[in-house]
């Protein structure tokens, strides 16, 4: 159930700490405080933070920005630990100083839902099947 916001009231932001690891050397890691962004598909981390743990671009991908413009970004893969769940992620290289964003694909892969009414990130109950 959603609640109606009163005039002058706005939805808060949800942040979550995430450990980002170099998949080629898991001893190289950083802990990053991500802004949860359900409007983004992939996650984004500033380039300097990724390069500090040895992650380098493996390709480029075009994205549609929130304002409708298109931009091309470098991408790579990284291992991310989100609330105890390990996720293999395609990660976007952002400009230094950019707010790290946790996208919808990684949230879904970690079986995490966003509850905007109380600004929490509950884990979905799941059955693991092979």
């Amino acid at each position: 159930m959603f609640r109606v916001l009163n005039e002058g009231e706005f939805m808060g932001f949800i942040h979550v700490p995430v450990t980002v690891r170099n998949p080629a050397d898991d001893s190289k890691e950083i802990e990053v405080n991500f802004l949860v962004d359900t409007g983004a598909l992939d996650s984004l981390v500033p380039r300097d933070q990724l390069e500090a743990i040895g992650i380098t671009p493996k390709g480029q991908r075009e994205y549609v920005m929130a304002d409708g413009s298109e931009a091309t970004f470098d991408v790579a893969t990284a291992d991310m630990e989100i609330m105890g769940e390990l996720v293999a992620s395609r990660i976007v290289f952002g400009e230094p100083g950019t707010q790290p964003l946790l996208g919808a694909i990684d949230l879904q892969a970690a079986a995490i839902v966003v509850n905007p009414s109380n600004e929490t990130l509950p884990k979905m109950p799941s059955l693991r099947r092979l």
Side-chain angles (χ1 to χ4, degrees):
M1 183 162 136
F2 293 94
R3 82 182 164 85
V4 176
L5 299 177
N6 297 313
E7 186 176 336
E9 190 178 24
F10 64 93
M11 190 60 75
F13 298 107
I14 302 173
H15 289 86
V16 61
V18 175
T19 301
V20 180
R21 292 186 184 93
N22 183 328
D25 181 355
D26 64 3
S27 69
K28 294 181 179 180
E29 65 180 41
I30 53 172
E31 186 159 314
V32 180
N33 196 30
F34 280 80
L35 173 64
V36 174
D37 185 354
T38 59
L41 291 178
D42 294 328
S43 296
L44 178 142
V45 174
R47 175 180 299 277
D48 56 332
Q49 293 181 9
L50 293 171
E51 290 175 347
I53 59 170
I55 296 177
T56 58
K58 301 294 186 234
Q60 292 189 323
R61 189 161 184 170
E62 197 169 291
Y63 290 90
V64 176
M65 308 305 286
D67 66 2
S69 64
E70 294 180 3
T72 302
F73 290 89
D74 289 336
V75 295
T77 56
D79 292 336
M80 299 200 321
E81 188 173 336
I82 310 163
M83 296 173 54
E85 295 291 331
L86 184 61
V87 173
S89 175
R90 176 177 42 236
I91 201 145
V92 178
F93 285 71
E95 294 298 320
T98 303
Q99 169 68 58
L101 301 175
L102 184 60
I105 292 172
D106 293 328
L107 287 167
Q108 185 176 14
I112 296 169
V113 295
V114 177
N115 185 338
S117 64
N118 63 7
E119 299 174 9
T120 60
L121 299 171
K123 288 186 179 181
M124 289 187 288
S126 63
L127 296 175
R128 299 181 194 266
R129 296 183 182 172
L130 297 176

